[in-house]
Amino acid sequence: MAADRTGPAAFVHHACLYGSDAEFLAMAVPFVRDGLAAGEPVLAATTPANIELLREALGESAHHLDTAETAYFGRRPVERVSAFLRYHERRARPGRRTRMIAEPVWAGRSARQTAEWKRMESGLNVLLAGLPVWMVCPYDTRVVPGDVAEAALATHPVRLDGERQAPCASYADPAAYAAAVAGPAASCAPPSAACTGPTGDVSVLRRLARERAAGAGLTGGRLALAELAAHEAAAYLLAPEGARVTLRAWEEPGAVVYELRRTEREGGGTGRDADVPPFAGYRPPGDAHGAEDGLWLARTLGDSLELRARGPETVLTLRMAGPGDAERL
């Protein structure tokens, strides 16, 4: 497999659309063999069937390959990013690139989850930029929806077919792609939604978040986690000096929803457009405390977190699992 020309310190992100076991192996075997021969750490996070195929094809070399069932290698986008970073930090070798085959799981995902995974795939070009990582994301066209296969060519700069590399003509700027990708229509707060603010006092917002979660039936640890996630989301929005936030909270089937709105200029309506950092809160906290650490925690605790600019407002929508979610019990 021809080496990329960007040097070992740059993140390389390829998509591989395959429609047969043979096409998967035509990409994966040389990618893995070349990496192992160069003394590079190599991870294959893919389906159990693909792991078995790859091991059989590699023979004795398979003993040096790291593998993970992709369904459990970060079940949600924020966890997936953390899993990539943890693997690289644990296995990185000076002067060597880390190689990863990272196959997303699309089957059974809701429209909201699918949109979030598409945004994450694009965001990896920003979140992992500068790391000596070569990542190939395989998409099995026998099972992935057509829109997902199409999105792969917009979220990866290069397509890999076997050992042949070709630029993706539809590749989009990650920030622009993340803003444009459509999930389900945003929920509108019902008339019965509890509301407080605008306020700069995070304790006021946290109190309402707890009261609404308790009213929805959350108790014990799940109630505490909902309160904590809402607190961290509110604290992130309140970080700019003088910021004020309005919180609306309500219940949907299977979820407690918090909508937090920060107006960029007091009075709203005619202020400048809100400035929302793309992919904020996807990186786990590092040694130095950062403004996005709490947002990462809120993403990790919640079922989903959407952060968008709407004119002069920054709108953060956080969904927490409701009392009927048996998986969380």
Side-chain angles (χ1 to χ4, degrees):
M1 177 175 290
D4 65 278
R5 300 179 181 178
T6 56
F11 177 59
V12 179
H13 196 202
H14 292 174
C16 173
L17 276 62
Y18 69 97
S20 68
D21 293 350
E23 289 179 355
F24 172 79
L25 291 174
M27 173 278 296
V29 172
F31 180 78
V32 171
R33 280 184 174 158
D34 288 356
L36 295 178
E40 298 172 341
V42 185
L43 168 70
T46 182
T47 65
N50 281 346
I51 290 173
E52 183 175 346
L53 287 170
L54 189 52
R55 284 174 174 163
E56 290 177 355
L58 290 171
E60 290 296 317
S61 299
H63 294 294
H64 304 288
L65 172 67
D66 296 323
T67 61
E69 291 189 24
T70 193
Y72 305 103
F73 190 74
R75 298 182 61 189
R76 297 182 300 136
V78 66
E79 296 167 346
R80 186 81 160 186
V81 174
S82 297
F84 290 145
L85 291 171
R86 280 196 306 269
Y87 178 79
H88 172 66
E89 290 167 3
R90 188 175 70 249
R91 297 283 281 123
R93 300 174 188 173
R96 305 284 185 180
R97 187 185 293 282
T98 302
R99 297 193 185 210
M100 301 182 194
I101 294 174
E103 182 155 13
V105 178
W106 300 98
R109 296 201 183 279
S110 69
R112 179 174 291 108
Q113 290 171 331
T114 297
E116 188 177 2
W117 274 79
K118 289 178 181 178
R119 286 192 288 268
M120 185 272 293
E121 280 278 63
S122 184
L124 290 174
N125 298 293
V126 175
L127 296 165
L128 303 187
L131 289 181
V133 172
W134 187 352
M135 180 180 292
V136 180
C137 300
Y139 287 69
D140 188 345
T141 57
R142 295 169 295 186
V143 295
V144 301
D147 65 298
V148 169
E150 182 179 350
L153 303 181
T155 57
H156 298 76
V158 175
R159 177 173 179 171
L160 189 62
D161 293 308
E163 299 184 68
R164 184 174 64 86
Q165 302 179 20
C168 293
S170 58
Y171 175 68
D173 171 78
Y177 181 85
V181 66
S187 300
C188 295
S192 59
C195 181
T196 190
T199 178
D201 188 345
V202 71
S203 66
V204 173
L205 302 169
R206 178 170 182 153
R207 187 179 308 117
L208 176 62
R210 181 179 178 88
E211 290 172 355
R212 194 65 189 86
L218 293 183
T219 59
R222 296 178 68 180
L223 175 60
L225 292 178
E227 179 185 3
L228 176 59
H231 170 92
E232 295 297 338
Y236 172 78
L237 291 180
L238 289 170
E241 185 177 355
R244 294 168 67 81
V245 170
T246 299
L247 168 64
R248 290 179 174 83
W250 66 94
E251 186 178 1
E252 291 181 351
V256 178
V257 184
Y258 299 119
E259 180 193 81
L260 299 102
R261 290 177 176 258
R262 180 183 71 203
T263 301
E264 297 301 311
R265 193 176 77 179
E266 189 169 356
T270 59
R272 65 177 177 83
D273 287 347
D275 182 17
V276 177
F279 317 112
Y282 276 95
R283 279 184 170 273
D287 294 334
H289 177 72
E292 296 181 10
D293 289 359
L295 189 62
W296 174 84
L297 181 58
R299 285 193 187 276
T300 302
L301 295 175
D303 268 9
S304 70
L305 188 152
E306 299 172 15
L307 185 63
R308 293 188 179 272
R310 295 180 187 168
E313 292 184 323
T314 299
V315 181
L316 188 157
T317 305
L318 172 66
R319 286 176 170 80
M320 302 296 300
D325 188 347
E327 183 179 344
R328 302 296 182 92
L329 297 176

